[in-house]
Amino acid sequence: MSGRLLKKVLKEQEEDQRIESDHEEEEEEAQQLNGKASINPFDLLNDDDHDLDHQEDESETLDEPSIVPQLKTKVGGVVSTSNQKSKKKKKKKGKEVSSSSSTSNVGKPLDAILESLSLDAPGKSADTKDCDNLGKPCAPSTLQVDPKFLNAENEMRRIFGSKVVRSFEKHERSGSSRMARGGRRSAYIPRKTILITPSEHWPRWDGSLSMEFLHVSEGYHHFRYVHSSSYRQAQSEFEAAKAIHDINAIASILLYHPYHLDSLITVAEYYKFTGEHQMSAELISKCLYALECAWNPMFTPLQGNCQVKYSYETNKPLFTVLFTHMKNMDMRGCHRCALEVCKLLLSLDSDDPMGAMFCVDYFSLRSMEYAWLERFSEEYKSDNSLWLFPNFSYSLAICRSYLEKEEPSKDALVKTAKATSTDLMKQALMLHPSVLKKLVDKVPLKDKVWADILKNAFFRADQVGIPSLDHLINIYVERNSLIWRLPELQNLLRDAAQLVIERLRHNSSDKKDWACVRKEAFSSEKNEYAHLLVSDFASSAPSAPPEVLQHFMLDPRMRDAAQHPVGDPMEGGHAPRNVTNRNTLAVLLESMLPWVHYGDGDGGVEEENQLMAMVQAMTSIEWNG
């Protein structure tokens, strides 16, 4: 129906209503003139006692002006009375009251209107509140994700300005149009998603993934991804191609199954090692698009009340993709977006399989969310044990130093309620002294004062002797070394270290006390965090030419290289490789990869000499060229 026809119909309805109201007014005037005719004789047949009827009619006539509008509102306008005359007399008045009430309700929200009518608003009843509380954990507020900060383009505009981002988007659009040149442009518009912004030239979502609801446990809704038959077929093809290390076969899977997650992740890893970071990030975004399109309607991950356990095989790609997307946002400088993704990772599985706990402090400091970091350390899992980890012990001191600068006007009582940044830094150095030596080497800190500090026996060692703690310290230094390049933080660390040295001179027993705290907090003799690779927390991504990556599919994340040292091939190590009759440049670049081994001991001396000769030859060619 067109707009003109709709207006015409509405106008005709208004005229009909006005004509009916005029007829009713004329009937009322005629009834007032003929008083006897206004009495309905059939009313006498309704009751036995005419006198009682007459009294009820009089009381009803007196009280009806205040009762009728309420009954019309609560019962929907149906009012049963025995006196037809009074009903007709008050009909026009009732219309005026209802019209005035309707005009007064215009612009009011639905909840306010229902509340004024003494009715429960939708979602506000006691039963609904109880259900909401039943389905939510006790304190999910710190892990709730703000969707407006998940958009990397908005953060890029805030950092670099709209003109720079607009020119970059124009360049990307021109590149995508060149890719689509020669074919007819489709009218397909991708679904809007929260995690990423899908591209127009992506294939249509094929529905090969879905998500099923499992159960509710301890206030959390548990979910699991489910594969369709076509997806399972693509998965079997992927396993076959992976077994023979055929990257071309995996790429061909994406021609028929464009949203097969493992194939997208593998090709993205390949592009990352070849230096094509933009292509790698786009493939990871495709994975996120497929994973979000498969979400269950009950799945609300941004509220922090859903669990997608890593123990299910079909859920593992979600964590791998989110962790890689978080690192991509970090490389682009979108630290607030990376923080929101990190919070999402922490909320999806309380066991934290990807180690998001050991980089959430870094992203909160880079995005200047200092108050949130303090609140998170106090409320997460309802305990205060996070400060025992190396990253939180140092990051909370940094966080307090910035908050002290932002809040100089607060009362002294409020300031004394929390420890100062210097006290927190002294506590961190006493608990994890080996961090200082690693930071001096990694940042690096070249002032003479640092050499004097490291001469002290307390800061001389770079290993604690506890496998789990030493591994976490290596992760922290690799992840957060960039933060310590700021002069004000170096001054804070230097002053705190000097105070610690001065304190240990007067009371050497503190050293033993803090050593007992370390052993109590990290009592395991095994490395509980061996599944977390230090290289995954590095600021820069590794790269290598494609011709030397024929074996990278053996383990894309190099887990076997970290967990199994190089040795006998029968014991899980990689067999030594032969360098005879191979391309010199390929061998040189391949030797930079951590999982490549060219032999050791007596049997590999000749090959090692050949490799060194090749390296020297390539160096001389480079200098002479």
Side-chain angles (χ1 to χ4, degrees):
M1 181 181 291
S2 64
R4 291 183 178 179
L5 185 58
L6 180 61
K7 290 180 180 180
K8 184 177 181 180
V9 172
L10 293 176
K11 188 173 182 181
E12 291 177 355
Q13 290 180 355
E14 291 177 358
E15 292 179 355
D16 294 340
Q17 291 178 358
R18 188 174 66 250
I19 293 172
E20 289 178 1
S21 62
D22 294 340
H23 284 309
E24 290 174 357
E25 291 178 359
E26 292 176 358
E27 290 179 358
E28 288 178 2
E29 292 175 358
Q31 288 174 358
Q32 289 177 359
L33 293 176
N34 302 322
K36 293 183 179 181
S38 63
I39 301 176
N40 188 357
F42 294 100
D43 291 339
L44 302 176
L45 302 176
N46 294 332
D47 296 317
D48 295 335
D49 193 353
H50 174 72
D51 295 335
L52 186 60
D53 255 3
H54 183 68
Q55 293 176 2
E56 289 177 354
D57 292 342
E58 289 179 353
S59 62
E60 187 178 358
T61 305
L62 294 174
D63 298 335
E64 194 174 0
S66 62
I67 295 176
V68 170
Q70 296 179 4
L71 292 176
K72 289 183 69 176
T73 305
K74 292 185 179 180
V75 189
V78 179
V79 182
S80 60
T81 57
S82 57
N83 193 344
Q84 300 295 327
K85 176 182 175 181
S86 60
K87 186 190 296 183
K88 290 182 179 180
K89 284 184 178 181
K90 306 303 176 184
K91 190 172 183 180
K92 182 179 178 181
K93 193 172 185 179
K95 284 186 178 181
E96 293 175 355
V97 172
S98 63
S99 62
S100 62
S101 63
S102 62
T103 54
S104 64
N105 288 335
V106 173
K108 284 188 178 181
L110 180 61
D111 294 349
I113 296 173
L114 296 178
E115 186 178 357
S116 64
L117 298 179
S118 301
L119 296 175
D120 292 331
K124 299 295 183 179
S125 63
D127 295 336
T128 309
K129 290 179 181 178
D130 293 340
C131 292
D132 292 342
N133 295 332
L134 182 64
K136 289 185 178 181
C138 297
S141 57
T142 54
L143 291 180
Q144 284 185 349
V145 179
D146 195 341
K148 68 180 180 181
F149 293 111
L150 287 174
N151 194 327
E153 284 73 16
N154 293 339
E155 187 168 359
M156 296 284 285
R157 290 187 182 94
R158 289 194 299 268
I159 298 173
F160 302 105
S162 300
K163 291 183 178 179
V164 177
V165 177
R166 197 180 301 114
S167 63
F168 179 74
E169 291 177 350
K170 184 179 179 181
H171 176 71
E172 279 192 338
R173 283 195 298 268
S174 63
S176 62
S177 63
R178 285 194 299 267
M179 291 173 60
R181 188 175 297 169
R184 183 177 179 181
R185 184 179 179 88
S186 62
Y188 165 65
I189 300 177
R191 292 173 51 178
K192 290 185 178 181
T193 53
I194 302 173
L195 297 176
I196 51 98
T197 302
S199 178
E200 294 180 357
H201 66 270
W202 287 359
R204 186 184 298 272
W205 164 239
D206 55 3
S208 57
L209 280 175
S210 62
M211 177 182 281
E212 66 175 355
F213 170 74
L214 297 178
H215 55 82
V216 178
S217 176
E218 298 180 357
Y220 290 94
H221 296 77
H222 291 253
F223 296 86
R224 178 179 62 184
Y225 279 98
V226 180
H227 295 167
S228 64
S229 58
S230 60
Y231 192 96
R232 288 193 294 269
Q233 180 182 356
Q235 187 68 24
S236 62
E237 295 175 2
F238 170 79
E239 297 295 338
K242 183 179 179 181
I244 59 176
H245 316 302
D246 190 353
I247 186 65
N248 294 323
I250 290 183
S252 64
I253 293 174
L254 295 176
L255 296 176
Y256 304 98
H257 307 279
Y259 291 107
H260 182 254
L261 299 179
D262 287 336
S263 298
L264 288 171
I265 294 171
T266 304
V267 178
E269 286 286 320
Y270 183 83
Y271 277 123
K272 181 183 71 174
F273 278 97
T274 58
E276 297 287 342
H277 299 295
Q278 185 175 354
M279 290 295 298
S280 176
E282 183 174 358
L283 292 176
I284 293 298
S285 299
K286 272 188 179 181
C287 293
L288 287 173
Y289 177 69
L291 289 165
E292 186 171 348
C293 287
W295 282 358
N296 190 287
M298 296 175 59
F299 186 62
T300 56
L302 304 186
Q303 301 300 321
N305 62 344
C306 296
Q307 291 280 287
V308 185
K309 285 297 182 181
Y310 187 79
S311 56
Y312 294 106
E313 193 68 26
T314 55
N315 292 340
K316 290 182 180 180
L318 173 65
F319 294 88
T320 304
V321 170
L322 283 175
F323 191 82
T324 308
H325 179 63
M326 179 182 68
K327 293 195 297 182
N328 291 338
M329 294 299 101
D330 178 36
M331 292 180 63
R332 294 178 63 181
C334 302
H335 299 110
R336 183 57 193 276
C337 181
L339 174 62
E340 299 301 319
V341 178
C342 191
K343 289 159 62 176
L344 180 60
L345 266 174
L346 281 172
S347 66
L348 291 178
D349 194 340
S350 55
D351 297 331
D352 189 20
M354 303 302 296
M357 181 69 66
F358 306 114
C359 52
V360 66
D361 59 305
Y362 170 78
F363 293 125
S364 60
L365 291 177
R366 293 299 302 268
S367 57
M368 296 185 292
E369 291 293 319
Y370 310 123
W372 178 87
L373 182 60
E374 280 196 347
R375 186 162 59 93
F376 173 77
S377 63
E378 296 170 357
E379 297 180 4
Y380 184 69
K381 292 187 177 180
S382 301
D383 57 14
N384 256 346
S385 61
L386 287 183
W387 67 274
L388 295 172
F389 291 102
N391 59 319
F392 279 96
S393 60
Y394 283 89
S395 295
L396 287 175
I398 298 173
C399 178
R400 175 46 46 188
S401 68
Y402 284 113
L403 289 176
E404 288 172 351
K405 296 177 182 178
E406 293 178 358
E407 306 168 354
S409 61
K410 285 198 171 183
D411 298 335
L413 294 176
V414 178
K415 290 184 179 180
T416 55
K418 293 185 178 180
T420 62
S421 58
T422 304
D423 293 337
L424 291 176
M425 187 60 70
K426 287 163 53 181
Q427 177 178 292
L429 288 170
M430 294 291 291
L431 185 59
H432 306 294
S434 62
V435 172
L436 182 61
K437 182 175 177 59
K438 290 182 178 294
L439 284 177
V440 171
D441 297 336
K442 181 70 177 178
V443 173
L445 303 176
K446 299 182 179 180
D447 294 341
K448 185 177 180 299
V449 64
W450 297 109
D452 297 336
I453 291 174
L454 292 179
K455 289 180 182 178
N456 189 278
F458 187 68
F459 296 113
R460 194 175 300 164
D462 57 354
Q463 296 289 331
V464 180
I466 303 175
S468 298
L469 184 55
D470 286 333
H471 191 70
L472 292 181
I473 288 174
N474 292 333
I475 289 177
Y476 170 71
V477 174
E478 187 69 31
R479 174 70 278 179
N480 293 53
S481 58
L482 290 176
I483 293 179
W484 292 102
R485 294 182 180 179
L486 298 176
E488 59 268 21
L489 297 184
Q490 294 179 10
N491 296 334
L492 175 64
L493 183 63
R494 181 198 61 208
D495 296 341
Q498 292 173 347
L499 290 174
V500 168
I501 294 174
E502 187 68 24
R503 179 179 178 179
L504 290 176
R505 288 176 184 172
H506 297 86
N507 189 4
S508 59
S509 62
D510 287 350
K511 181 179 179 180
K512 297 180 180 179
D513 295 339
W514 286 103
C516 292
V517 174
R518 283 195 299 271
K519 292 181 180 179
E520 183 75 20
F522 303 93
S523 57
S524 178
E525 297 181 357
K526 297 181 179 180
N527 186 1
E528 298 177 346
Y529 304 98
H531 61 283
L532 304 177
L533 298 180
V534 178
S535 59
D536 287 340
F537 297 85
S539 301
S540 58
S543 61
E547 58 267 16
V548 300
L549 294 177
Q550 63 268 26
H551 294 285
F552 92 104
M553 286 173 52
L554 187 63
D555 195 340
R557 302 185 71 247
M558 300 175 288
R559 295 190 184 276
D560 292 341
Q563 296 177 3
H564 304 289
V566 176
D568 188 0
M570 299 302 294
E571 296 178 356
H574 301 292
R577 301 188 183 189
N578 192 359
V579 297
T580 308
N581 298 326
R582 293 190 58 194
N583 182 271
T584 306
L585 179 61
V587 173
L588 173 63
L589 295 174
E590 190 180 59
S591 64
M592 300 177 184
L593 301 177
W595 61 85
V596 175
H597 179 53
Y598 290 99
D600 52 5
D602 298 334
V605 173
E606 183 179 356
E607 293 180 354
E608 292 292 338
N609 293 334
Q610 292 180 7
L611 178 62
M612 292 300 298
M614 291 179 183
V615 173
Q616 293 176 2
M618 290 301 301
T619 306
S620 62
I621 291 173
E622 181 181 356
W623 282 102
N624 294 332

